Amino acid sequence: MKRLGVNIDHIATLRNARGELHPDPFLAAKFVKNQGADSITIHLREDRRHIKDLDAKNICSIKNLLVNLEISIKEEIVKNALKIKPNYICIVPENRKEITTEGGLNLKKNKNRIKKILNIFKKKKIRTSLFINPSSKDVLLAKELGTDCIEIHTGRFANLVKSKKNINNEFLRIKKSCKLAHDYGIEVHAGHGLDYKATKILTKIKEIEEFNIGHFIIGESIFFGIKSVIKKFKKIIK
Ligand code: PXP
């Protein structure tokens, strides 16, 4: 059974547009869970453009809610994440000027730092994940670093689906990476840019156990409500 993680960063983006309290990501986290999300994802960015430290702390205090906190490798963020005490962490690359996470981690360049961070969270019994590009080399590096999970960056695949271009090569690249990771005993997740169509295609890859989806869910909810959007995604990934 594949799981759905709902990224609620853009509820905070909307709240911050007014600099006031509505819509409240804390209430959204509870609500989304009640609508069937298997976990909540939030990204505590270095520039705090959406989720703030207090949001993360409050959301992680909700009982029976599994929270996946996305973090960069920066010391300040790692320290805060340890205080926030999420159930899961996912290390992602971060670049100040980007609109969203543009690609997977550069594992080779940041090997020592990433290994150190993974060990810190593993000692605290927090599930660890690395956001990587669909590449066999990166899967091998991820294994060497000792992560519990990987999340495959599906942005390129999702863009090919949206623009109705040939998806075969990218699909096979993703499939190969997922299989390799699974063979190494790493749990496989996928996320970024996913809509109904791209998600449906990726459900053919049996190794993917979790999808983390944000922007499309929040955007589509304007028209159909978050309850029915989550329901539809759950049906697709079932
Ligand atoms: N997974 C990871 C690791 C991400 O960084 C993001 C974007 O914050 C997502 C999933 C969700 O991407 P989207 O908002 O495009 O669905």
Side-chain angles (χ1 to χ4, degrees), residues 19-217:
E20 293 174 12
L21 300 175
H22 185 78
D24 184 352
F26 174 76
L27 295 180
K30 282 186 173 178
F31 188 80
V32 159
K33 179 193 178 257
N34 291 336
Q35 304 315 317
D38 297 297
S39 58
I40 297 293
T41 291
I42 48 178
H43 183 177
L44 187 69
R45 287 188 66 97
E46 290 166 16
D47 61 12
R48 308 297 199 275
R49 71 168 73 145
H50 35 57
I51 292 292
K52 315 278 185 200
D53 297 62
L54 192 59
D55 296 322
K57 182 105 195 121
N58 289 341
I59 289 168
C60 285
S61 73
I62 299 171
K63 285 205 175 76
N64 302 318
L65 175 77
L66 294 170
V67 182
N68 175 35
L69 183 69
E70 292 177 2
I71 57 169
S72 73
I73 58 172
K74 208 170 174 203
E75 199 171 342
E76 180 251 338
I77 293 288
V78 172
K79 268 192 191 158
N80 281 321
L82 286 165
K83 284 189 212 142
I84 290 164
K85 297 192 181 79
N87 305 89
Y88 313 142
I89 56 123
C90 179
I91 305 177
V92 301
E94 224 177 281
N95 155 12
R96 288 268 158 148
K97 292 200 188 84
E98 70 194 355
I99 292 173
T100 180
T101 318
E102 282 162 356
L105 287 159
N106 186 336
L107 296 181
K108 206 168 166 197
K109 185 173 159 209
N110 301 299
K111 215 170 154 182
N112 295 338
R113 177 83 187 127
I114 292 173
K115 192 165 185 160
K116 196 173 156 201
I117 298 170
L118 289 176
N119 285 335
I120 293 173
F121 285 97
K122 274 165 158 269
K123 273 193 198 130
K124 302 265 176 202
K125 307 249 179 304
I126 292 173
R127 186 190 79 175
T128 56
S129 183
L130 298 176
F131 195 36
I132 65 168
N133 289 318
S135 115
S136 301
K137 255 193 207 161
D138 281 352
V139 174
L140 179 60
L141 274 170
K143 177 195 166 243
E144 286 167 6
L145 292 173
T147 188
D148 300 316
C149 316
I150 53 159
E151 181 166 331
I152 297 285
H153 192 297
T154 54
R156 195 176 134 80
F157 175 77
N159 281 338
L160 290 170
V161 173
K162 278 173 217 163
S163 55
K164 298 192 167 54
K165 291 198 179 132
N166 190 329
I167 59 167
N168 292 349
N169 288 344
E170 189 64 10
F171 179 80
L172 289 177
R173 219 187 325 267
I174 294 175
K175 192 173 167 179
K176 193 172 159 202
S177 299
C178 293
K179 184 164 180 343
L180 188 61
H182 186 259
D183 289 348
Y184 286 147
I186 301 172
E187 186 177 303
V188 181
H189 308 157
H192 209 277
L194 295 175
D195 58 9
Y196 294 135
K197 196 171 173 194
T199 305
K200 184 152 178 59
I201 302 168
L202 290 177
T203 58
K204 288 184 200 144
I205 302 176
K206 66 174 193 312
E207 289 82 6
I208 299 177
E209 293 190 35
E210 180 178 306
F211 288 99
N212 287 309
I213 308 176
H215 189 268
F216 181 81
I217 291 183

